[in-house]
């Protein structure tokens, strides 16, 4: 119903009542705001537009598409192309065969990985190789699980129903303790280093044994061979030992040992870096702040005295921190 | 001309950042100095992943060069003096924090006031 707008007679009568001077405030003619009489808005409901597309969709969802109306838990609900024999489980857009929805690890698999690393103390590399999950993904799972457990300990509420609903509609991959697990993804893929993308003509004698290490040296003197640049060089070593006739259990034990060793080395390197930093730092506590003095060499300024790593802001050089196209958000975490 | 060890302000509005420089006293603040021997970030920052609320300030300093310039007579500004005194390079300047007592009144006033007190 449109709002009732006072007629002119009402207003005039109110005004005429106020012509008599009185101390009370009820004579103000503000019973209806003045704006309301100027801008009348329509309260007519919008015309229901039942377009052709809507009509066709409704016919479809009530007829042949009725099976898609409700999602079957534990599986995807993707449309089935009419001329396809196999059931469509990985194509959200059935006409685009190149768009595939990749499976994700479900919560059980992630909990399994977390318990293997945190509870049983296995190395990230060994778990990655055993289950066929990328090293970075394993590390991310452990970090996020730790955050989740922190939140549970703090009593924060988790969006579990949301996670369950989303995971219920995606293709998932799971791991079980008691059976042999399928690998989740390829783990030993080689990162394409920019040094290796150029074409080189490198004459060698035919009799020469030209290995991957030699190829790497041909690209750049400091480039490691492909066998050392892969995420799991220990796996290659294990396969070599298997070929030499070592039993599988022995080779896998040696693999786990070398994975542990390489992780220990990485941790030691990090510790040594922190210790070196600490050695050149003097900490002075005032009553408000801690002052950290880092000893530097101010004469390390490059041949022209304008090196980028030289101490302090540079004189006579523009600072591009506000230019267009510069990345202003941090690109790494400390 | 006097050589000073002082701060040169860089950074942006509300985001100061200082070079610790050795410069002639009469040159402009941000003119090219004799030497840059360090930096001073005056904005206190927490450590990453630290929720304790403790803050720290980062200072980079070539202490060898600072000692050299002090040795040949360079004069640190008050702020740089404070920083250098934290490292033991300069003797700290302490402010007198004792409560101030007024100086004694002149004798003739004191002599006048006493008889007045007796009269009252």
């Amino acid at each position: 119903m449109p709002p009732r707008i006072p007629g002119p007679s009402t207003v005039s009568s109110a005004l005429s009542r106020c012509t008599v001077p009185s101390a009370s405030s009820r004579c103000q003619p503000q019973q209806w705001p003045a704006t309301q009489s100027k801008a009348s808005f329509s309260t007519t409901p919008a015309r229901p537009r039942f377009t052709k597309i809507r009509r066709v969709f409704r016919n479809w969802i009530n007829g042949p598409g009725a099976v898609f109306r409700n999602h079957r838990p534990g599986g995807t609900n993707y449309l089935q192309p009419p001329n396809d024999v196999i059931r469509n489980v990985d194509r959200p857009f059935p006409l685009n065969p190149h768009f595939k929805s990749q499976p994700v690890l479900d919560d059980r698999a992630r909990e399994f990985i977390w318990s293997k690393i945190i509870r049983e103390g296995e190395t990230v590399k060994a778990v990655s190789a055993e289950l066929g999950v990328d090293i970075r993904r394993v590390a991310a799972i452990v970090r996020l699980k730790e955050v989740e457990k922190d939140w549970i300990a703090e009593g924060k509420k988790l969006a579990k129903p949301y996670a369950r609903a989303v995971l219920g509609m995606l293709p998932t991959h799971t791991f079980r303790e008691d059976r042999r697990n399928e690998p989740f993804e390829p783990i030993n893929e080689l990162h394409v280093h920019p040094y290796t993308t150029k074409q080189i003509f490198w004459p060698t004698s035919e009799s020469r044994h030209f290995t991957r290490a030699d190829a790497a040296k041909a690209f750049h003197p400091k480039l490691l061979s492909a066998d050392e640049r892969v995420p799991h060089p220990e796996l290659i070593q294990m396969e070599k030992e298997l070929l030499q006739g070592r039993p599988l259990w022995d080779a896998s034990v040696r693999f786990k040992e070398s994975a542990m060793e390489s992780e220990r080395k990485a941790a030691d390197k990090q510790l040594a870096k922190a210790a070196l930093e600490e050695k050149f730092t003097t900490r002075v506590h005032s009553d408000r702040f801690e002052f950290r003095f880092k000893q530097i060499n101010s004469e390390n300024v490059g041949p022209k005295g304008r090196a980028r790593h030289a101490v302090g802001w540079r004189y006579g050089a523009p600072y591009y921190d506000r230019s267009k196209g510069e990345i202003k958000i941090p690109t790494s975490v400390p | 001309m006097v050589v000073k060890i002082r701060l040169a302000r860089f950074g942006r509005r509300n985001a100061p950042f200082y070079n610790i420089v050795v410069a002639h006293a009469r040159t402009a603040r941000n003119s090219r100095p004799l030497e840059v021997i360090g930096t001073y970030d005056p904005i206190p920052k927490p450590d990453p992943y630290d929720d304790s609320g403790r803050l720290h300030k980062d200072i980079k300093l070539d202490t060898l060069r600072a000692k050299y310039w002090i040795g040949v007579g360079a004069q640190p500004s008050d702020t740089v003096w404070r920083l250098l005194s934290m490292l033991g390079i300069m003797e700290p300047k302490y402010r007198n924090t004792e409560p101030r007592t007024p100086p004694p009144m002149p004798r003739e006033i004191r002599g006048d006031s006493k008889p007045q007190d007796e009269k009252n």
Side-chain angles (χ1 to χ4, degrees):
Chain A
M1 200 179 75
R4 275 187 297 174
I5 294 167
S9 58
T10 331
V11 175
S12 60
S13 67
L15 282 173
S16 64
R17 266 198 293 158
C18 268
T19 48
V20 183
S22 81
S24 69
S25 63
R26 71 186 161 80
C27 284
Q28 298 296 321
Q30 294 299 320
Q31 287 167 359
W32 293 283
T35 51
Q36 205 180 38
S37 62
K38 280 177 188 168
S40 63
F41 47 86
S42 163
T43 50
T44 318
R47 190 169 66 91
R49 288 183 67 216
F50 202 68
T51 55
K52 185 188 172 191
I53 293 176
R54 255 183 102 181
R55 193 174 66 245
V56 169
F57 172 74
R58 185 169 286 189
N59 285 344
W60 177 79
I61 197 76
N62 288 330
V67 284
F68 297 107
R69 188 181 269 280
N70 286 318
H71 162 247
R72 193 194 315 151
T76 56
N77 198 24
Y78 299 147
L79 294 181
Q80 186 71 24
N83 50 359
D84 220 352
V85 184
I86 313 159
R87 188 168 171 269
N88 176 20
V89 289
D90 58 353
R91 273 182 291 149
F93 308 103
L95 295 182
N96 183 359
H98 304 294
F99 190 108
K100 294 233 166 119
S101 71
Q102 300 289 346
V104 295
L105 289 175
D106 64 357
D107 192 53
R108 180 183 185 151
R110 284 182 273 137
E111 191 72 30
F112 183 52
I113 288 174
W114 175 85
S115 75
K116 256 181 165 329
I117 287 175
I118 302 291
R119 288 246 169 84
E120 294 163 30
E122 292 185 32
T123 57
V124 174
K125 269 192 175 185
V127 172
S128 160
E130 185 194 337
L131 300 176
V133 183
D134 196 296
I135 295 182
R136 291 166 295 177
R137 197 184 303 281
V138 172
I141 284 169
V142 173
R143 270 187 238 124
L144 288 174
K145 270 284 164 196
E146 285 289 305
V147 171
E148 186 185 319
K149 297 201 186 279
D150 265 7
W151 282 11
I152 290 171
E154 284 172 24
K156 274 191 190 176
K157 213 170 180 186
L158 305 180
K160 283 272 180 194
Y162 175 74
R164 226 177 290 125
V166 170
L167 275 178
M169 288 188 279
L170 285 173
T172 51
H173 191 98
T174 193
F175 297 127
R176 289 180 171 228
E177 208 166 348
D178 50 345
R179 68 169 74 156
R180 194 159 180 278
N181 291 308
E182 289 293 310
F184 176 63
E185 60 191 344
I187 52 166
N188 229 6
E189 288 189 335
L190 185 61
H191 169 72
V192 177
H193 196 280
Y195 284 154
T196 62
T197 53
K198 54 189 173 184
Q199 197 176 19
I200 292 176
F201 292 98
W202 192 264
T204 53
S205 67
E206 265 186 57
S207 58
R208 185 178 164 193
H209 190 60
F210 197 78
T211 60
R212 291 198 194 92
D214 296 328
K217 286 282 165 297
F219 280 122
H220 193 271
K222 281 189 176 174
L223 189 67
L224 294 175
S225 85
D227 292 346
E228 293 167 68
R229 277 190 293 126
V230 289
H232 290 279
E234 296 88 2
L235 273 183
I236 297 175
Q237 186 59 32
M238 188 179 92
E239 290 299 324
K240 278 183 186 166
E241 286 176 359
L242 285 179
L243 282 179
Q244 285 163 5
R246 200 178 274 273
L248 179 61
W249 63 270
D250 191 18
S252 69
V253 164
R254 282 169 64 87
F255 164 74
K256 282 193 178 170
E257 277 171 6
S258 59
M260 185 77 87
E261 179 69 18
S262 83
E263 278 200 8
R264 197 181 56 74
K265 266 187 189 168
D268 283 353
K269 213 172 168 182
Q270 225 164 357
L271 273 181
K273 197 182 166 196
L276 188 71
E277 196 105 317
E278 196 56 46
K279 190 185 158 194
F280 287 106
T281 308
T282 313
R283 292 161 188 256
V284 180
H285 292 271
S286 75
D287 42 355
R288 293 174 72 196
F289 308 118
E290 184 191 50
F291 288 80
R292 290 187 191 159
F293 292 87
K294 199 177 167 201
Q295 167 69 40
I296 52 146
N297 181 9
S298 67
E299 292 173 2
N300 199 2
V301 291
K304 288 182 183 171
R306 295 166 64 91
R308 280 183 169 273
H309 59 263
V311 63
W313 281 47
R314 300 189 300 157
Y315 291 85
Y319 195 60
Y320 291 109
D321 63 339
R322 292 208 178 163
S323 320
K324 237 181 189 178
E326 289 292 312
I327 298 170
K328 295 174 188 74
I329 55 171
T331 52
S332 64
V333 289
Chain B
M1 204 161 27
V2 177
V3 172
K4 289 225 151 209
I5 304 180
R6 63 187 188 190
L7 301 179
R9 191 192 194 277
F10 286 87
R12 302 293 185 198
R13 184 198 295 175
N14 298 335
F17 192 91
Y18 297 99
N19 276 2
I20 302 173
V21 300
V22 180
H24 288 299
R26 290 186 174 198
T27 51
R29 185 194 70 185
N30 276 19
S31 61
R32 192 183 286 268
L34 298 175
E35 194 176 338
V36 182
I37 59 169
T39 59
Y40 170 47
D41 186 355
I43 295 178
K45 292 183 182 63
D47 273 323
Y49 314 114
D50 182 18
D51 297 333
S52 64
R54 276 175 303 184
L55 303 171
H56 71 271
K57 294 187 179 187
D58 283 320
I59 299 135
K60 288 182 181 174
L61 186 67
D62 190 342
T63 47
L64 290 178
R65 294 303 293 167
K67 280 178 191 167
Y68 164 76
W69 281 110
I70 298 291
V72 296
Q75 298 174 3
S77 66
D78 283 352
T79 315
V80 176
W81 193 301
R82 186 170 57 84
L83 296 179
L84 293 182
S85 69
M86 286 181 187
L87 287 174
I89 296 174
M90 300 300 292
E91 197 68 31
K93 279 183 187 173
Y94 289 115
R95 252 179 284 165
N96 188 6
T97 53
E98 288 171 12
R100 286 172 59 177
T101 51
M105 301 291 266
R107 179 164 294 172
E108 52 269 24
I109 298 179
R110 269 189 293 169
D112 288 346
S113 66
K114 272 181 184 173
Q116 279 177 1
D117 285 342
E118 284 168 7
K119 278 174 195 171
N120 289 335

